[in-house]
Amino acid sequence: MTRCSNVFRKGSILSLALAASIPLARADLQSLDESDMAGISGQSGITLEGELEASAASISYFDDDNGIHLEGFRLSSATDAGEGVYHKIDIDIEEDGALNLDYLVEDRRIEFGDIRLAGAPGLSMGGIFFDHSLKGSLKISSTGGTGYRFDSAYTMTGGRLGYRTNGNEVFLDDITMDFASVGMILDVENGALTLDSPSITGSYSVGAIRYSDNSANHGNSFDVITGSALPSYGSLEGDFDLSSRLEIQGGGRDGAEGIRFDGQTTINSANFIYRDDGNPLAFRDITGSYQLNDLRLDVTQDWNGREALGLTLDSLSGGFNIGSIEMGTSGKSLGSLNVNFLFADQVYDGETFTNAVYLQGGGHQDAGPQGLRLATEWSLQLADVSYTEDGNRVIFSGLQSWGHGDVTVNVTSDGTLNGTRFYDGLRIGFENIEGGYRLNGLRVGSDDAQLQGGTELLLTLGIYPAYEFDLDGHITIGAGGASGEGLTINSDIQIKNGNAALIAAPYDEGQGEVSQKGLWASDLNYDIHVRDMTVDVTEEGFAIIKGEAWSTMDIGNLRIGDKKTGGSFGRFVFQNYEKGSSMTILPGGAGQVCVGGSGSDAAGCSASGGIWEDRGEEGITIRMKQIFAKAVSDTKRNAFVWETNRALGSDGRPENGTGMKLVLNDIYTSDGGDIDGNEVEGNTFGIRTDISVDVHQTKVVKKTDGADSLGVVGSRGDEKIMDASAAAGYRYETSPTTADLDNRPLGFAVQARSRFKELSINNVDLVHPNQPTEGQTVIYGMKLQNFDVKANLTATPIP
């Protein structure tokens, strides 16, 4: 066994790769004895076989005298760390000089216990390990010039890939993979090392994604104490067919040393499937491409002067298409998704944003010395996201995003450390994140369709058309769902200084960017807490069940117009407390719908004055059940506060708590009685809302006589008909024909139904400024019962 400390300085990629193999060899030259010779045989070629075991205190890389250390390197058997790894290599040389290597590796573990930066020796990024057995072949031949051709194929079995921090770990278990790369060319062109891969194909499966909070379970699929399988997030499988080109050069962003990457990749085809207890969430028929421009790798410092491994990017552009998104065992599709994107520098509100990630050790300061901290800055200059169902397309146009701050990653266990509450699972923390995003609007049908509103319909999914925020908190993702595999989520999020658009006009209608107008929840502070929320893929679709959730949304000013200077309706505070609420996402939209009528078929619908629409098989249906629980504290309750006429502070801004308040206190749902006979009023029905989303044609009529804003003339009540031969792309018809009706405009269609059995408000108070805690009760005890409302909304352009 070899023990050594290896230090690498950037000279060439080849020397780095060769140096990395040093631990696999003897530290000094030795003559071969008889036992060594017994492992070598030769007829038409040479066979090498033997057991290898190696370790190194550290493997280091230096860049401009800044270093990163991979500590605690081990190569050993995956099942017994004290044993070596069986290797067998058959070497042969063909007549044309090509070198053939057929190899077999059994039960190998490659592990690094810690990854540290030289300037921050007390902090670690955590440890990684990789278990696997391999059987494959590699053919190396000359291109006839300066380059080499590689043809490689292998099968990997028994794989595990894991990440460890402070004795806890998350790992991919039971990995199998078939991989082939034919015609890969390694060469040097214009001072760059180039790697052209015209064909990269393969398939893979991950039997489980497991979590353990016991260091004794390291690298095991079963708990060493109970013998039970470690909890699983689910399983993965997929396949891919890619082609790519990668260029590698010397030179970093900071200083003379470092590494630069440029490349292009084409996804010819791919499929990705996540399974939860066998139930699939499938992304099928994936195609796309992307171009990487000037990605630099440096050992450097972040913008706060902290030691880091820096990844800085000039630009990343591309797009991908998911041909079908399927949920559940039925194989029904939600539709297809297409995304085009450009990550590049941009200026927003006078501040320049770029794309960079600085990897550091430590993670959350209270979780222990091991973890990962990513000082992150992002700049999504432009993206369009389109959704297509049943052949109809809606485009969420002009998505932009920007921000910076720290993201921490730790694998944690349940308990309190140094005053901070942690939970079982992979913890993703957010510290001092300042960011935002905005949408320009919707386009229906094609990329050049008229820009329109309708993004506010996303509010039903909890997505704002535009949002600026300061963010802190965490999301911890645990293994295991409501039963068996799945996810369990515990989260605490704090948003401060927010501006969220409830309704937003475009920020650019073609004449340049302008300040986005709308209805804004400005000066927003929002605390959100979730406990034991489970996420599962079921036979029907995607199910989310909240164990307990509470939040306080404090809108300092509800403004109309500009988010900073628009007129204010006052301050609004919404407190929410739910137990056992749920949401299910199902493939398929509204199906057959009677719009504006009440018939159950086409004839009955028409007779009632409605329009019968068949919105197809694809689409999305969301079923929500909100259980509003009775108040248990000042923070865990359902309440609404509206405050106006606040006094101005020394800074000229209204001061909260100084105005007149209308308070609706302790709002809760119930079943209206003792339904199950346990002498307690039931609360299982809640508020149930079903939302079906489709892209479909709809009837649009003109509201006034004369020409519209685009100069198209029609009479009040005329129907809008799409016509590619018309100058504006449409015309108005008083009596549309059957053919005209087939060319009604496309819209973003939402069908909704909301109902509850009983909703109670304990008291309605008026609180005067000189009575900040106790007000005058206007109404004591209010109940709303048997509520059932249906609606059909379709967003189309307004000419």
Side-chain angles (χ1 to χ4, degrees), residues 70-293:
L70 308 180
E71 298 182 348
F73 168 76
R74 287 193 61 85
L75 185 146
S76 65
S77 167
T79 55
D80 187 345
E83 296 293 328
V85 183
Y86 177 74
H87 290 70
K88 179 182 178 182
I89 306 175
D90 293 327
I91 306 173
D92 198 3
I93 300 177
E94 296 183 355
E95 291 183 0
D96 61 0
L99 177 64
N100 286 331
L101 303 175
D102 293 323
Y103 55 87
L104 175 65
V105 179
E106 294 183 346
D107 191 36
R108 181 168 66 183
R109 171 170 294 172
I110 301 173
E111 181 168 16
F112 294 96
D114 284 293
I115 303 173
R116 301 182 191 274
L117 292 159
L123 299 175
S124 166
M125 296 184 190
I128 56 175
F129 65 95
F130 180 30
D131 300 344
H132 56 277
S133 295
L134 291 174
K135 183 177 182 180
S137 63
L138 173 64
K139 180 179 179 179
I140 306 173
S141 57
S142 173
T143 60
T146 60
Y148 291 90
R149 170 176 172 143
F150 297 83
D151 297 294
S152 175
Y154 65 80
T155 296
M156 180 177 71
T157 58
R160 291 191 188 95
L161 178 63
Y163 175 61
R164 309 181 74 201
T165 68
N166 308 303
N168 309 304
E169 64 185 47
V170 170
F171 62 96
L172 308 181
D173 191 25
D174 189 22
I175 306 172
T176 63
M177 175 181 285
D178 290 315
F179 175 90
S181 178
V182 179
M184 183 168 58
I185 303 298
L186 180 68
D187 209 338
V188 176
E189 298 178 13
N190 301 319
L193 184 68
T194 62
L195 188 63
D196 281 296
S197 304
S199 176
I200 302 173
T201 60
S203 61
Y204 61 89
S205 67
V206 178
I209 308 170
R210 300 195 185 277
Y211 163 82
S212 172
D213 61 356
N214 183 354
S215 60
N217 289 330
H218 177 39
N220 290 311
S221 304
F222 296 87
D223 189 278
V224 295
I225 298 175
T226 66
S228 301
L230 295 174
S232 170
Y233 293 91
S235 62
L236 306 174
E237 63 183 84
D239 58 78
F240 52 88
D241 181 348
L242 315 173
S243 57
S244 72
R245 175 181 172 86
L246 179 65
E247 299 178 6
I248 306 174
Q249 303 178 58
R253 193 82 62 190
D254 299 322
E257 296 184 324
I259 305 174
R260 170 176 173 167
F261 301 92
D262 297 88
Q264 306 88 38
T265 296
T266 299
I267 306 172
N268 301 310
S269 67
N271 296 283
F272 176 83
I273 303 173
Y274 165 77
R275 294 186 186 274
D276 176 353
D277 293 314
N279 300 310
L281 170 60
F283 300 88
R284 300 190 186 276
D285 303 324
I286 304 171
T287 58
S289 64
Y290 65 84
Q291 181 166 335
L292 180 71
N293 180 35

Side-chain angles (χ1 to χ4, degrees), residues 1-4 6 22-32 36:
M1 182 174 65
T2 303
R3 297 187 182 276
C4 58
N6 298 311
I22 288 175
L24 306 183
R26 295 287 182 181
D28 49 34
L29 294 176
Q30 298 181 4
S31 61
L32 297 176
D36 295 321

Side-chain angles (χ1 to χ4, degrees), residues 742-777:
D742 290 335
N743 290 295
R744 282 173 166 165
L746 284 172
F748 188 46
V750 177
Q751 183 192 55
R753 180 187 182 190
S754 188
R755 58 202 188 278
F756 59 77
K757 291 183 177 180
E758 185 170 280
L759 180 68
S760 300
I761 303 173
N762 190 69
N763 54 286
V764 180
D765 296 340
L766 287 175
V767 181
H768 294 266
N770 58 352
Q771 297 175 307
T773 58
E774 294 183 5
Q776 179 180 356
T777 299

Side-chain angles (χ1 to χ4, degrees), residues 288-447:
S289 64
Y290 65 84
Q291 181 166 335
L292 180 71
N293 180 35
D294 194 5
L295 172 66
R296 303 290 180 110
L297 175 67
D298 296 270
V299 184
T300 182
Q301 295 180 339
D302 73 354
W303 56 78
N304 289 319
R306 297 172 296 187
E307 298 293 324
L309 180 65
L311 293 164
T312 56
L313 176 67
D314 184 78
S315 67
L316 175 66
S317 60
F320 63 88
N321 184 77
I322 303 174
S324 179
I325 304 173
E326 300 171 5
M327 288 183 181
T329 55
S330 67
K332 290 186 64 176
S333 174
L334 279 70
S336 63
L337 185 71
N338 178 270
V339 179
N340 293 299
F341 57 86
L342 171 61
F343 286 91
D345 294 357
Q346 66 176 319
V347 177
Y348 179 77
D349 200 20
E351 184 175 357
T352 300
F353 292 89
T354 188
N355 291 285
V357 178
Y358 295 89
L359 283 73
Q360 304 163 34
H364 189 278
Q365 62 181 3
D366 293 332
Q370 288 186 317
L372 190 61
R373 178 176 292 270
L374 296 87
T376 304
E377 184 172 357
W378 75 91
S379 175
L380 176 61
Q381 190 180 104
L382 187 65
D384 289 332
V385 181
S386 66
Y387 168 65
T388 304
E389 58 95 7
D390 292 309
N392 300 318
R393 184 180 180 213
V394 60
I395 304 163
F396 300 90
S397 182
L399 173 63
Q400 295 181 328
S401 184
W402 58 89
H404 54 75
D406 284 6
V407 178
T408 61
V409 180
N410 295 86
V411 187
T412 58
S413 58
D414 188 52
T416 300
L417 294 175
N418 302 317
T420 300
R421 184 74 165 87
F422 295 99
Y423 302 89
D424 287 340
L426 183 66
R427 185 187 192 274
I428 303 173
F430 310 100
E431 298 182 10
N432 303 316
I433 300 286
E434 298 178 11
Y437 68 84
R438 60 182 180 178
L439 278 165
N440 202 30
L442 296 183
R443 299 182 191 273
V444 180
S446 63
D447 293 323

Side-chain angles (χ1 to χ4, degrees), residues 44 147 197 308 664:
S44 60
S197 304
L664 280 66

